[in-house]
Amino acid sequence: MKIFLDTANLEELRKGADWGIVDGVTTNPTLIAKEGKPFAEQIRRISEIVKGDISAEVVETQADRMVQEGRELARIHPNVVVKCPLTREGVKATSALSKEGVRVNVTLCFTPAQALLAAKAGAYIISPFVGRLDDIAYTGMDLVRQIVAIYNNYGFKTQVLAASIRSPVHVVEAALAGAHIATMPLKVLEMLFNHPLTDKGLDQFLKDYQKVFHEAPVEG
Ligand code: E4P
């Protein structure tokens, strides 16, 4: 499963990229606005930090305008994946852009029926929003499982990206469900590393070694 960072913040991206395990980035208008920089400039800066897909979302709402905006976004950098919302107009724009070879991430997906439409339109990625469904007392991960099953039934190539991830449990469940990608805030990625037995074990290993050799580095 690919790991994407769900942020447009350059410091967070640098930190995550340094670990060598980040495969891509997702942004949305909220995340871009938070950084306060011109959209294209911010996407270019992100592309210098993370070598992988970068989702950049359209803010137009009519299909023809989304297509125009999508083409412009795709021209910013070859790694840009254009994000379109799962509306009638968004699906129409997805179909048009996909036919032109522009890769589209269809976002704001909350039902398996919507995901089916996105795949039919040729989406490169579908983004079911797990956390936002949990927020309204629905098990968001069920949606990921249903989409994976439907896509497998028919051999759709659309990748399933578990979005709106809020915890390490979400990440593990997305992987078990067969999601191709999980996008998460840096805070959640950091949490994936943690286990007290890892810290305790390492501490003991180093103490035992130092008791005998007095210095930490192993000499060659
Ligand atoms: C990513 O593509 C989505 O925009 C993002 O995961 C939404 O997450 P949120 O529900 O935490 O805002």
Side-chain angles (χ1 to χ4, degrees), residues 6 26-28 31 57 83 105 107 127 129 131-132 161 163-166 183:
D6 197 23
T26 48
T27 69
N28 61 37
L31 294 171
E57 189 161 342
K83 235 174 162 186
N105 173 355
T107 188
S127 290
F129 275 38
R132 291 192 194 188
L161 180 154
S164 186
I165 280 198
R166 307 267 165 84
T183 192

Side-chain angles (χ1 to χ4, degrees), residues 3-9 11-13 15-17 19 21-22 24-28 31 34 130-132 161-171 181-193:
I3 290 181
F4 284 14
L5 275 177
D6 197 23
T7 179
N9 181 276
E11 276 313 303
E12 290 185 351
L13 289 167
K15 192 167 179 188
W19 292 323
I21 50 168
V22 172
V25 180
T26 48
T27 69
N28 61 37
L31 294 171
K34 223 163 119 185
V130 174
R132 291 192 194 188
L161 180 154
S164 186
I165 280 198
R166 307 267 165 84
S167 70
V169 172
H170 276 161
V171 178
I181 307 160
T183 192
M184 64 203 75
L186 181 69
K187 190 178 74 177
V188 173
L189 182 57
E190 298 221 51
M191 286 193 270
L192 296 182
F193 284 96

Side-chain angles (χ1 to χ4, degrees), residues 59-203:
V59 289
E60 294 288 355
T61 53
Q62 294 304 307
D64 53 345
R65 287 173 176 271
M66 284 184 194
V67 170
Q68 190 53 42
E69 191 186 3
R71 287 179 189 139
E72 283 160 21
L73 291 173
R75 273 197 288 270
I76 296 173
H77 191 276
N79 289 353
V80 167
V81 175
V82 174
K83 235 174 162 186
C84 290
L86 217 158
T87 58
R88 286 169 178 76
E89 295 295 303
V91 168
K92 190 172 165 186
T94 298
S95 173
L97 286 166
S98 301
K99 287 190 178 87
E100 291 179 13
V102 174
R103 300 176 306 158
V104 181
N105 173 355
V106 178
T107 188
L108 291 166
C109 173
F110 293 96
T111 72
Q114 290 180 318
L116 183 58
L117 300 180
K120 298 283 292 178
Y124 173 67
I125 290 173
I126 182 70
S127 290
F129 275 38
V130 174
R132 291 192 194 188
L133 282 170
D134 286 356
D135 291 345
I136 57 161
Y138 176 89
T139 306
M141 203 55 67
D142 284 348
L143 175 59
V144 174
R145 285 186 270 271
Q146 288 167 339
I147 297 172
V148 169
I150 291 169
Y151 284 8
N152 283 344
N153 282 349
Y154 297 100
F156 285 119
K157 297 275 179 282
T158 307
Q159 298 177 79
V160 180
L161 180 154
S164 186
I165 280 198
R166 307 267 165 84
S167 70
V169 172
H170 276 161
V171 178
V172 173
E173 287 190 348
L176 286 169
H180 302 88
I181 307 160
T183 192
M184 64 203 75
L186 181 69
K187 190 178 74 177
V188 173
L189 182 57
E190 298 221 51
M191 286 193 270
L192 296 182
F193 284 96
N194 299 337
H195 199 283
L197 289 178
T198 304
D199 299 338
K200 196 177 164 208
L202 179 62
D203 192 48

